[in-house]
Amino acid sequence: MKFLRHCLKGLGWLMLALGGFAAVGLAALIAANWNDDALSEAAQQAAHYTPPTEQSLQGNGYLILMGLDAPVGSDAVEDAMALGRQRLEREIERRRWVEVHGDQQDGMPPAIAAESASEDVLPTWLRCPIGEPDCFAWFAKRGDEVLALRKTHHALLQRVTAAAIAPQFSNPAPFYLLAEFPPYARLVRAHELWLAQASLEWMRGQPRQAMDIVRQAVQVRSRLASSSNSLIASMIALAMQHRELRWFSDAITHGKLQTPPSVLKEVELLLATPPSSLHQALQGEMHFVASVLYSLKDPGLFTGPWGEPSAWLQRPLNRASNWALLPKQTLNLSIGYLQQIQAISSLPAHHVEAAFSNAMHQWDEDKACSPWKHLRNAAGLCMAATGMPSYLGYMQRIADMDGYRRLVLLQRRAAAQQISLADMPAWLAQSPQELRNPYTLQPMQWDAADSSLVFEGREKQTQNPGRSPTYRVRLRD
């Protein structure tokens, strides 16, 4: 019994010591997280949205895209513009709701839903298959169907044309949690229908008419990319550019001696412009991150003091949650990390991987959701750093498309200079730096067995056979 009493006494002292250590640890955790940071200037800017002025909306082609699915009345373009304005006003109203109520949807103004159906614009069975080596020949065999669709969707194509040539083009809509997007699916299929129509014109010996159509397709896509305030819109524009490059490659393959030099020069000029950077889209990503933190039901972030008596019961729980998550510091960190990403995205592709690797060291340190490793804002550090590695994929998609563009431009110059297949390796070895592999700065590869130029990208490409990151264009001797 005496031994048992000694054991119980020792256990009691041990429990007391452990309790003391826990109390000290809890006190340190509370002290470290007692006060949140002030919002940085960059975070305040990300959390702020300034509605567009009436001047910025006059003749703004983006509003046409926002109303691309409007019912056709007496004036197809004005109808689309009117619906675009209505959607913009509603999205501004919905964003203000999110600022006040977070992700609570009960009472939130309903979105003006976009018409997502696009199968009627260019049916799947009529789209050029991924593995088809010659889309021009594909559409030539189905010319009647393409022309019938062009006639049916004249109003839609008229709207996209108006957006392409509008006096100004900028996205005035807020990008926030629960934001609705324009009817991009209809835009993408209209863009494809344009390229199909241009293929017919080229095969009929009308290259100038074909280039008129393609020029508009390139312009509306490049405007969408340069004004993008979201990674989603940027990736949609990138997919559209892939289809354009495939079209140019087919045009070069089907080029004839009688093709006017002015047309061939325009092909090269349109191929000379690299894809738009992600700078603008990443700025929108900052607004999105700020909106996500708006949705956290933490009154200490953007709202004032507690008002309802019942809220006092919630206050200790919210204070406890702040022991692991400081919303303002988390937003500051997130915006700071995205500014790093934005700076890296502006670097040449062959410098991106090293710069990203250096930044990863800090992110890996912060990603550990460990209160014993980071007493202050452990969950917030984890939240801010966890998603950062995924942005490398977006940058590499841009670089992959630039590599494909370089490949098609090489195809064009090889055809213009009448380089024989046997001379291709030596010719590629002398290629200028701006037409080399953007990642390695080495000459593009030559596949003699397949008579094709090859570029090895980094990211899977859904428009390549087997989702391969390998791009290739075939040459004729």
Side-chain angles (χ1 to χ4, degrees), residues 365-379 381-382:
E365 177 70 18
D366 291 345
K367 266 194 315 186
C369 301
S370 308
W372 52 88
K373 192 170 186 179
H374 300 288
L375 278 179
R376 182 169 173 78
N377 197 22
L381 285 171
C382 176

Side-chain angles (χ1 to χ4, degrees), residues 98-413:
V98 170
E99 290 176 5
V100 176
H101 303 281
D103 61 354
Q104 178 185 336
Q105 298 188 47
D106 185 21
M108 184 178 189
I112 301 176
E115 175 57 60
S116 59
S118 58
E119 185 70 12
D120 63 318
V121 179
L122 186 67
T124 300
W125 64 267
L126 191 54
R127 302 173 79 192
C128 185
I130 289 174
E132 173 59 46
D134 189 345
C135 286
F136 277 30
W138 168 272
F139 287 122
K141 294 176 182 177
R142 297 157 179 82
D144 291 343
E145 290 91 340
V146 172
L147 294 177
L149 286 172
R150 183 192 65 177
K151 183 176 181 180
T152 300
H153 297 288
H154 172 74
L156 173 62
L157 297 177
Q158 184 184 1
R159 289 169 176 175
V160 181
T161 300
I165 63 175
Q168 57 179 331
F169 192 101
S170 61
N171 186 352
F175 188 44
Y176 66 100
L177 188 70
L178 307 177
E180 290 287 326
F181 290 99
Y184 285 135
R186 297 188 74 78
L187 172 64
V188 168
R189 290 296 176 95
H191 180 267
E192 282 190 78
L193 182 54
W194 258 347
L195 296 179
Q197 181 186 347
S199 301
L200 293 181
E201 296 292 351
W202 191 279
M203 293 294 278
R204 291 174 176 178
Q206 302 293 332
R208 292 187 190 278
Q209 289 86 333
M211 288 306 299
D212 287 342
I213 298 170
V214 171
R215 192 186 312 113
Q216 290 181 337
V218 170
Q219 186 167 351
V220 75
R221 182 268 308 164
S222 62
R223 285 185 131 188
L224 175 66
S226 61
S227 67
S228 166
N229 69 343
S230 74
L231 292 172
I232 291 174
S234 293
M235 294 302 104
I236 289 171
L238 211 61
M240 293 166 70
Q241 187 169 14
H242 185 286
R243 295 184 184 95
E244 293 167 8
L245 292 172
R246 190 178 180 186
W247 189 94
F248 283 123
S249 180
D250 280 344
I252 293 165
T253 302
H254 285 280
K256 298 180 176 63
L257 292 177
Q258 63 269 29
T259 302
S262 60
V263 170
L264 298 176
K265 183 178 180 180
E266 185 169 9
V267 168
E268 186 145 344
L269 285 173
L270 291 174
L271 286 171
T273 305
S276 298
S277 77
L278 292 177
H279 188 276
Q280 189 72 15
L282 288 168
Q283 197 67 39
E285 193 76 358
M286 295 181 200
H287 291 290
F288 174 72
V289 168
S291 77
V292 171
L293 286 169
Y294 268 126
S295 72
L296 297 175
K297 299 188 187 304
D298 187 317
L301 184 54
F302 299 107
T303 60
W306 299 86
E308 296 291 333
S310 59
W312 287 92
L313 300 176
Q314 188 67 24
R315 191 171 188 176
L317 296 177
N318 279 281
R319 173 59 67 184
S321 71
N322 281 358
W323 298 346
L325 173 63
L326 299 175
K328 292 180 182 178
Q329 188 194 49
T330 302
L331 180 56
N332 290 343
L333 287 169
S334 298
I335 299 304
Y337 292 156
L338 282 169
Q339 288 177 320
Q340 283 183 277
I341 295 287
Q342 198 176 47
I344 294 172
S345 73
S346 300
L347 297 175
H350 61 283
H351 288 316
V352 165
E353 196 166 16
F356 207 88
S357 178
N358 290 335
M360 279 284 292
H361 291 306
Q362 178 61 49
W363 301 335
D364 285 340
E365 177 70 18
D366 291 345
K367 266 194 315 186
C369 301
S370 308
W372 52 88
K373 192 170 186 179
H374 300 288
L375 278 179
R376 182 169 173 78
N377 197 22
L381 285 171
C382 176
M383 181 187 297
T386 296
M388 292 302 113
S390 65
Y391 289 100
L392 178 60
Y394 293 103
M395 296 184 207
Q396 293 187 156
R397 286 184 178 91
I398 296 288
D400 282 0
M401 199 56 56
D402 191 36
Y404 186 27
R405 178 192 65 85
R406 297 178 184 200
L407 207 64
V408 177
L409 193 48
L410 279 170
Q411 180 191 14
R412 158 71 196 129
R413 293 187 181 178

Side-chain angles (χ1 to χ4, degrees), residues 49 52 57 62-71 76 78-96 108-117 156 159 171-176 178-187:
Y49 169 71
L57 298 181
Y62 198 92
L63 289 176
I64 300 174
L65 294 191
M66 291 185 73
L68 206 57
D69 57 334
E78 286 301 319
D79 292 338
M81 185 77 76
L83 179 58
R85 281 178 173 267
Q86 291 174 26
R87 280 207 173 105
L88 173 61
E89 291 170 3
R90 181 60 56 84
E91 286 303 292
I92 293 173
E93 188 180 355
R94 284 163 57 82
R95 186 191 191 275
R96 287 171 178 159
M108 184 178 189
I112 301 176
E115 175 57 60
S116 59
L156 173 62
R159 289 169 176 175
N171 186 352
F175 188 44
Y176 66 100
L178 307 177
E180 290 287 326
F181 290 99
Y184 285 135
R186 297 188 74 78
L187 172 64

Side-chain angles (χ1 to χ4, degrees), residues 431-443:
S431 59
Q433 180 173 316
E434 63 269 17
L435 293 184
R436 296 188 171 209
N437 185 312
Y439 294 110
T440 66
L441 302 186
Q442 296 300 308

